[in-house]
Amino acid sequence: MFHRHFLAGTALMGALAFAAPAFADPAADASDAQQGGGTPNGGSQGIVVTAHRLDEARAAIQKSLGADSYGVTNAQIQALPGGDNQQFNQIMLQLPGVVQDGFGQFHVRDDHANLQYRINGTILPEGLAVFGQTLSPRLIDHFDLLTGALPAQYGLRTAGIIDIHTKSGFTNGGQVSLYGGSRNTIEPSIEYGGSTGQTNYFVSADYRHNSLGIESVDGSGTPLHDSTDQFQGFAYVDRILSDNDRVSFVGGYSNQWFQIPNPRGLVATSAVPVAGQSSYLSDDLNERQLERTGFGQLSFLHDNGPLTLQLSAFARYSALSYRPDTVGELIFNGLAQDAFKSDLALGLQADASLRMGAGHTLRFGAFVQHDHTISNTSTSVFPVDDTGTANGTPLSIVDNSSKNAVMLSLYLQDEWQLSSKVTLNYGGRFDYYDAYRQENQFSPRVNLVWQPWARTTFHFGYSRYFSPPPFELVANSSIAKFVGTSGAANSLTATTPMAERQHYFDVGVQQKLLAGLTIGMDAYYRISRHLIDEGQFGAPIILTPFNYAYGRIRGINAYADYQRGPWLVYANFAVAKAQGRQIESSEFSFSASDLAYIASHYIHVDHDQTYTASAGVNYAFRDGALRGLKLGSSMIYGSGLRSDLELADGSTVPNGASLPGYAQFNLSASYKLDRPGVEFRFDLINLFDAKYQIRDGTGVGVGAPQWGPRRGVFFGISKDI
């Protein structure tokens, strides 16, 4: 289903550019273009041609020669079960080497996070969201996942670059829809795009409510206290200034509220009563988390002859608020923390390409970002005696702080067309990071793409990476304040997390077989110093970064893709192994026994999954009475994330075991009536009602248990406007 390519210079670009979905012929899906980003139905043809040429010029700046690139179009998103009503992470799980985790997280090639989002080529700074998905699939015209040995223009976050190209209007039309079903799901949405004079625009908004905001903690199909309400809004507008110049704005906002799900039937007691209570039933816990994000990007694009340049200014504000059940958490955990964290990021980005003679294209650019983070906590704890027993009424510890950070990057690279069959891309980048630490690195990059025959492409790459810890998540608390209380840390050792430094080797081959059929394989090996991981170590669902002193990660991805006529079939399979040794930062979060074991043993990182697979089949009826009907299915498979291994002598091997494997199958059907512009859809998620664990609550930095979704039935109706 997903177009896969190695970008290899001008000659290969034409052959390996984005492919339209095989099932979407222009006549059958003309109305789909009204959703934005499709074939224009209104406005000046000259404006459309200019906009399209400027889009291509912008894409030429960001070429990912030698990297592994997986592309997904909006039409392909619509073909998946759930379509664009699902959250973005569910779409990502259909790509090669992408592993499912709890809290809506996913991992690319066994990295914990380390993902960079770009919107129309401009970096979207990281935020504080844990459960929420800031970006709705409704804003996407198409996107690429870039991974592997990345060229010099990509840095700081290097496990995967999610490069989103937004819908951009031109059509003077849109769509309203209503979607809902199992688990009290209700999801209305609206989107509209158009043009007026030299100005083009697209806007979308949606609201989501359901009773499965976060994964179930007990595997129940009706989890207790797990509702969510989420709003997302997005706007795009551009103004064509001339045949060579365009200014554009992208903005979005999300406001997402979550209940924290409760385990059933557990009772905790306290020797010291809290608010007159000495026992508490887990069913009655009432913990909540609110996540808000707003962002804006203003860009100027110039394309004239050999030079293409994009200048961007961006801002992003994100905030996370955790509201505890003070009485219940004190009785259960001996600690209840009211937490607020916010981060404001402001920055500038410049990217350019200069086409020179003798087969050379230079690409160069700069990036600077300033962050200001605020962390305010008020923690209720018990005073304790020397044995750790509570011996007094609860007290409150206030710990407020703020911090600034600066990141600066420069890069230069040369795409050299050695021959019609061989392209070399080489260069380097310099990254500087000043926050809790001051660090920097020069990182050389080199990629070679070789196409010995028309249907065969090889690529070989090496990249040196520098990835700072996520600044907004680094703890800035005073752990010494909690000594002598029930909230005391395991130790007072709190080394500040360090930037990860990595050598990345990648080699792959792609073969086009029969018409429409492509297969390929890619292998990678990574050697890390200060390998970054993240874990949940407290009651607030806020992740904390830490470092393994040494890391080694390797894997192989294989894929097959068939697109021909009404058929679209894809399959992906990945094998991976990620290990780390010696915890060297945030040590206070770990037990002494875990620190001692990991100091002398390589262990699997908690998000390591040995085998991962995804697949899908889609068929579109193009003629006859069934014209407009599309049938599809998808599946994901995982061999299981890590958990602790309990030995016969009572000791524990951190992340020494893995959870049982699972497979989830989904079905979808949609029917479009072109003349009234109405579409009906039906989705069946987890067809066989497989009950499987994503996490069991054990493992390094793992919080509560999390289970996959049970069977769900959903219906939707949409109308063109």
Side-chain angles (χ1 to χ4, degrees):
M1 177 173 188
F2 304 106
H3 184 60
R4 167 59 155 74
H5 51 272
F6 309 118
L7 296 184
T10 305
L12 296 183
M13 185 65 179
L16 299 178
F18 281 104
F23 54 81
D25 71 23
D29 290 335
S31 59
D32 290 345
Q34 295 181 12
Q35 297 174 21
T39 304
N41 294 330
S44 165
Q45 182 65 24
I47 295 174
V48 173
V49 171
T50 300
H52 181 67
R53 184 181 64 77
L54 291 174
D55 284 344
E56 291 182 335
R58 182 180 63 198
I61 300 176
Q62 303 288 337
K63 285 177 70 174
S64 51
L65 186 141
D68 303 310
S69 179
Y70 308 92
V72 182
T73 68
N74 180 267
Q76 292 168 335
I77 292 173
Q78 299 287 1
L80 287 171
D84 58 9
N85 301 289
Q86 63 187 314
Q87 294 193 324
F88 186 73
N89 66 302
Q90 295 300 313
I91 299 169
M92 291 296 301
L93 296 180
Q94 296 299 318
L95 297 178
V98 178
V99 175
Q100 177 179 216
D101 201 348
F103 300 157
Q105 296 183 7
F106 57 88
H107 309 292
V108 176
R109 292 192 172 186
D110 259 11
D111 236 317
H112 181 272
N114 200 19
L115 299 170
Q116 183 181 98
Y117 289 82
R118 294 186 173 216
I119 299 179
N120 296 335
T122 300
I123 294 173
L124 178 64
E126 295 173 279
L128 288 163
V130 178
F131 310 128
Q133 306 287 314
T134 300
L135 300 174
S136 167
R138 289 186 174 85
L139 64 88
I140 298 172
D141 178 72
H142 62 273
F143 77 89
D144 293 314
L145 169 63
L146 310 177
T147 186
L150 299 170
Q153 70 221 63
Y154 300 105
L156 301 175
R157 297 290 171 254
T158 53
I161 309 297
I162 300 172
D163 189 14
I164 295 171
H165 300 261
T166 64
K167 298 175 182 178
S168 54
F170 308 142
T171 61
N172 294 318
Q175 186 180 86
V176 293
S177 69
L178 181 63
Y179 188 77
S182 298
R183 294 181 282 275
N184 302 311
T185 298
I186 181 71
E187 186 173 349
S189 66
I190 185 171
E191 54 188 87
Y192 192 88
S195 63
T196 174
Q198 302 290 317
T199 302
N200 309 289
Y201 61 91
F202 173 80
V203 294
S204 69
D206 61 73
Y207 165 80
R208 175 196 301 263
H209 170 84
N210 64 52
S211 57
L212 185 66
I214 308 172
E215 291 84 5
S216 170
V217 297
D218 58 9
S220 167
T222 55
L224 182 63
H225 194 263
D226 200 7
S227 292
T228 182
D229 290 285
Q230 305 175 28
F231 169 80
Q232 293 175 311
F234 173 80
Y236 170 91
V237 61
D238 71 50
R239 176 78 174 179
I240 296 176
L241 304 177
S242 70
D243 288 346
N244 301 321
D245 301 294
R246 179 175 67 189
V247 63
S248 61
F249 172 80
V250 172
Y253 176 75
S254 66
N255 188 306
Q256 303 173 323
W257 173 86
F258 300 88
Q259 292 179 330
I260 308 301
N262 297 344
R264 288 180 166 91
L266 304 179
V267 177
T269 60
S270 171
V272 178
V274 181
Q277 291 186 240
S278 56
S279 66
Y280 209 92
L281 178 65
S282 61
D283 301 44
D284 298 330
L285 289 168
N286 183 24
E287 304 156 319
R288 294 137 290 150
Q289 189 151 303
L290 173 66
E291 300 175 2
R292 293 170 291 159
T293 299
F295 66 90
Q297 301 175 347
L298 182 65
S299 299
F300 171 74
L301 178 68
H302 172 76
D303 177 55
N304 186 13
L307 177 67
T308 302
L309 171 69
Q310 178 164 286
L311 303 174
S312 302
F314 58 83
R316 176 169 181 168
Y317 174 81
S318 63
L320 182 153
S321 300
Y322 176 81
R323 297 292 176 259
D325 183 321
T326 302
V327 175
E329 289 187 46
L330 273 170
I331 294 176
F332 268 96
N333 305 319
L335 177 150
Q337 186 175 91
D338 188 300
F340 171 81
K341 291 179 73 75
S342 70
D343 181 78
L344 174 63
L346 304 171
L348 300 170
Q349 180 180 337
D351 298 283
S353 67
L354 180 62
R355 294 169 287 281
M356 306 177 67
H360 291 270
T361 300
L362 292 181
R363 292 184 175 86
F364 50 94
F367 171 84
V368 61
Q369 178 178 316
H370 179 274
D371 282 74
H372 178 72
T373 186
I374 296 173
S375 176
N376 296 335
T377 63
S378 177
T379 308
S380 298
V381 292
F382 293 109
V384 298
D385 58 24
D386 292 340
T387 67
T389 303
N391 63 359
T393 58
L395 55 93
S396 180
I397 298 176
V398 176
D399 191 4
N400 298 338
S401 62
S402 63
K403 184 70 175 176
N404 294 314
V406 173
M407 288 187 289
L408 172 67
S409 302
L410 302 169
Y411 73 87
L412 173 66
Q413 63 188 30
D414 176 26
E415 179 187 328
W416 184 7
Q417 196 85 35
L418 297 173
S419 71
S420 61
K421 298 181 181 295
V422 180
T423 304
L424 177 69
N425 195 59
Y426 62 97
R429 64 179 290 125
F430 174 78
D431 296 298
Y432 170 83
Y433 171 74
D434 184 4
Y436 296 97
R437 291 178 178 272
Q438 187 180 97
E439 301 181 84
N440 63 80
Q441 179 177 288
F442 174 75
S443 305
R445 311 282 179 88
V446 60
N447 285 280
L448 181 72
V449 178
W450 174 40
Q451 191 176 23
W453 307 286
R455 294 176 174 268
T456 306
T457 305
F458 293 91
H459 82 117
F460 313 87
Y462 164 78
S463 292
R464 178 79 166 131
Y465 287 150
F466 173 83
S467 299
F471 163 74
E472 67 280 358
L473 297 180
V474 174
N476 195 25
S477 59
S478 303
I479 57 178
K481 290 184 176 182
F482 294 88
V483 173
T485 75
S486 54
N490 294 312
S491 73
L492 295 180
T493 306
T495 306
T496 302
M498 292 157 274
E500 181 176 351
R501 302 168 189 266
Q502 188 176 107
H503 298 280
Y504 198 120
F505 304 89
D506 188 277
V507 58
V509 59
Q510 175 179 289
Q511 179 68 49
K512 294 186 177 182
L513 297 176
L514 306 174
L517 177 60
T518 302
I519 63 172
M521 182 174 293
D522 191 82
Y524 58 92
Y525 185 74
R526 297 152 52 191
I527 304 170
S528 287
R529 190 76 173 89
H530 314 305
L531 174 66
I532 293 177
D533 201 349
E534 297 174 11
Q536 183 206 336
F537 298 104
I541 315 299
I542 301 173
L543 300 181
T544 300
F546 62 93
N547 297 95
Y548 293 94
Y550 308 97
R552 56 190 187 193
I553 305 173
R554 61 267 201 193
I556 297 175
N557 291 350
Y559 64 92
D561 180 89
Y562 177 74
Q563 301 185 47
R564 187 170 177 82
W567 287 100
L568 191 150
V569 185
Y570 65 95
N572 307 302
F573 181 75
V575 182
K577 187 175 184 179
Q579 295 176 302
R581 177 167 68 85
Q582 187 180 335
I583 303 294
E584 60 174 354
S585 65
S586 303
E587 296 91 342
F588 65 92
S589 297
F590 301 88
S591 68
S593 59
D594 278 358
L595 287 173
Y597 185 89
I598 301 170
S600 57
H601 297 81
Y602 271 98
I603 68 166
H604 294 268
V605 297
D606 70 280
H607 53 271
D608 177 47
Q609 182 164 269
T610 304
Y611 303 112
T612 305
S614 60
V617 178
N618 292 270
Y619 185 87
F621 292 87
R622 294 172 151 183
D623 303 299
L626 296 180
R627 174 185 169 86
L629 176 64
K630 299 175 184 178
L631 302 177
S633 64
S634 68
M635 67 83 66
I636 56 172
Y637 165 80
S639 60
L641 296 175
R642 308 304 299 185
S643 61
D644 287 344
L645 176 64
E646 299 290 339
L647 300 179
D649 62 2
S651 61
T652 299
V653 177
N655 298 341
S658 62
L659 295 172
Y662 63 88
Q664 178 182 313
F665 294 85
N666 313 305
L667 297 177
S668 179
S670 65
Y671 184 66
K672 182 70 174 284
L673 298 170
D674 287 336
R675 187 171 298 276
V678 175
E679 183 175 44
F680 303 90
R681 71 174 302 128
F682 165 79
D683 298 307
L684 182 56
I685 306 301
N686 197 349
L687 170 65
F688 300 110
D689 199 25
K691 184 177 180 180
Y692 63 91
Q693 271 191 306
I694 301 173
R695 295 289 194 180
D696 70 352
T698 70
V700 176
V702 177
Q706 294 132 28
W707 293 75
R710 301 296 294 272
R711 182 189 293 126
V713 180
F714 303 91
F715 302 89
I717 181 171
S718 60
K719 174 70 171 67
D720 293 341
I721 55 175

